[in-house]
Structures are given as C-alpha cells and as structure tokens.
Amino acid sequence: MANWIALSDHDGHWFAPQGLGQPKGAAKLVQSGPDALMVRGSLVVETNVPATARMEPLFIYDQQGEWPLHLALHAIPGGGLSLVLNQGGLPLHQTINHSEGGRTETLRITYAWDAPRRWARLTVERPQDDCVISVPVSSPRPLRVMDARALLMPGPERYVSREVRYLALSAGIEPIGPMPSLAMDTPIATPDGYRPISKLRRGDVVLTQNDCAVPILHKISRVVPARGSFRPVRLRAPFFGLWRDIDVSPAQRLLLTGSEVEYLFGCQAVLLSTRHLTGTPRAYIPPVGQLITYQQLVLPGHEAMKVAGTMADSLFIGRLRRNRDVLSRSLLADLDRNSLPEHAKPVHPVLRAFDATILAERRVA
C-alpha cells in the first residue's frame, strides 16, 4: 500500500490527504483541520550535493506563530549534512557524514518519525552505489498536517535549493536499503515463456545467463515517487537485444558483453546502470505521473536474468541479513531472515560512472 501524500519538484507541487493518485472520495491517510497531527511519517529529500567550502542551505522551512516550526537541511564542508528541527522550542540537531566511501553524486535523505514510540531516524542513501548511513534521532514530536502541507507547497516560509531534485512526504515509515527496479509489466523469461514480473511468485523459476533455470526466493514491490533516482528510464528496442521497450529505474543494471567490453575492461561481461544511458538514442525519460510501482526478484545468487530479450540483473542484497538494523528497516524486514541469501559480490564487475559513460558512447557510435 502506498502512503505518499505529497510531492514537490521544480515542475509541480501536489498534496492529497487521501494519497497521491487516489480519488478524492477515498479514505484519508491523514486528517485535515488546524489541529490534525501526523504522529508518524517520512519526509524524503533527494538532492544533488554541491561542492561547498561553507555551509549551504538545501531546504529551509520557518513558520512562526502559535505553533512555531523550523526545519532546515544544510550541506556542510567536508562532506556532511546537518538537519535542524525545532518544534515549539524543543530543538533537535543531527549531523551525518555522507562522504565515507568515495565520490558522491546524488543523495536521498529520509527523516522518518514515530512519535508514540519516541523513535526517529535520519538516513542518507547514495542511490548510485547502494550506500546507506543511518543515525537515530531521539524524542521526535508529531507534525501538524497543515505544516506538513506547507513543507511541500510553495510559500514565503520555505526555501528550496535548485540542487534539490524533489521532496516527498509519506504517512508511513518508508523503507531504506535495496530497492526494486523493474516496471510491473516487464517480461521475464521462464521455462514456459516470458511472463510479466507482476505475475511471478516465490517458487517460480526464471531463466538466467546461459539458460540456467533458477527459483525465485522472494519478490519485492514498492510504490515510489516517479522523480529523481526513481524516475523511470525507457530502454528502446531493438537495442540491447530487446524485442519491446521496457521501463526500469535508473539503478537497474544491464549485462553487456562483446569485443568492446573485453578490450576496455579485460573481462567478458560487465554491468552498466541504466542511468548512464539517458541522453543516448538507446534510452529516454518517458512521461510519468506522480508515482510508479517497481518490482524485483531475489534469487539464490546475484544473477543476470533474461528480460524482454536483454539481460538485466536480479536484486543484489549483499550481506544484508547480517545487518539486523538495516534489514529491519528494509523491504525485506518481514521475510524470514534465514531464507535470505548472501550475495558476496555482483555477478559481474559494475562499471563506475566514467567507464559506463565511455562504453555507452562507444555503443551509440
């Protein structure tokens, strides 16, 4: 079930108490009125990270009056983020370092809170390399619905940097960690022919590289804002061997082989994220609504699956089962931990941004 109630980017702003994409008569996820509260929820901000020698604001909301609220997210020198939240004179300040592990392109920041449980967390994810950094936040307070709406809608109380790709608000606690990346109608090869991923279930068998038949351990699904690192990429047939166009998330990786791969990288096959294909004749950004549903398959090993004639990788979860904290906050949280595989490393080398761009350009030429 989707809990998204608001979305804002440089092209538009939407707020729907009944949920984005739902009819106005549908049951409300949050109530209206001056005293209505969101006792739990998630605020998601995805942003490009500016190279800065001083503290630079990414998002600021400041509302005075009977119910004062100040919320600010800043990029700070040295590779960090600072969150300041002050509700009714009770300040909360949390700093998190996102630069550990190398170069940063885009960050997705999630502030999730559950006031009755006196629990909250601030999470920074790097969508381009699956890095997750999460820190606890103590004693969160509920958020007034009218303030939640004002956070996502244009007004004199808020500032949004051009670096921010989108803001979204959910009435639930949104998961972190590995995310699905195939549209629901994506055809997956099985021994009985191609079937949409939406029709596949645990225990079904799919065909992987070299026509190996592999059982599905789990399938995950999530509705996300169709923006930023979740905005779909449409791969065009007949490129990559596709017999039809397919929509995937920018994080989905394709298996590429051939003489160029062997010459450039000294191996028979590599994985390339589809985010590096946008702007080429082989892929483009299709028109989208506010939300999109992605699905993915968990296989015993990290595999390249046959997808509409091309090869695309299954969900890579690494050794997530060993990290109980991240696992408990992920889409896999409700699954039997003992049923989860361990993926020591991707099935083939994953190209870095520069190498992926070079290979994509050579394939287009």
Side-chain angles (χ1 to χ4, degrees), residues 50-56 74-81 95-99:
T52 178
R54 57 184 177 82
M55 182 175 289
E56 185 168 331
H74 288 81
I76 57 179
L81 292 170
T95 300
I96 189 167
N97 189 338
H98 63 75
S99 65

Side-chain angles (χ1 to χ4, degrees), residues 46 105-106 108 125-131 165 177-183 220 222 224-225 227-235 246-255 271-278 285 292 294-296 302-303 305 311-316 346 350-351 356:
E46 188 167 299
E105 299 173 357
T106 301
R108 183 166 59 244
E125 298 176 88
R126 290 199 299 262
Q128 58 272 11
D129 61 10
D130 301 322
C131 177
R165 306 176 76 181
M179 292 292 156
S181 50
L182 297 172
I220 64 171
R222 188 187 177 198
V224 292
R227 299 293 186 275
S229 63
F230 291 127
R231 185 183 289 270
V233 176
R234 181 161 296 169
L235 302 178
I246 60 172
D247 289 350
V248 301
S249 90
Q252 178 61 53
R253 296 179 290 210
L254 301 182
L255 177 71
L271 293 171
L272 180 147
S273 297
T274 55
R275 66 169 55 88
H276 303 304
L277 297 172
T278 56
I285 305 299
I292 186 170
Y294 288 121
Q295 297 186 329
Q296 248 297 7
H302 182 233
E303 304 278 2
M305 308 178 294
M311 302 297 296
D313 74 333
S314 61
L315 188 71
F316 179 75
V350 179
L351 295 185

Side-chain angles (χ1 to χ4, degrees), residues 189-191 194 205-214 304-306 311:
T190 76
Y194 279 94
V205 173
V206 298
L207 297 181
T208 63
Q209 195 175 10
N210 301 321
D211 287 323
C212 294
V214 176
M305 308 178 294
K306 288 190 173 183
M311 302 297 296

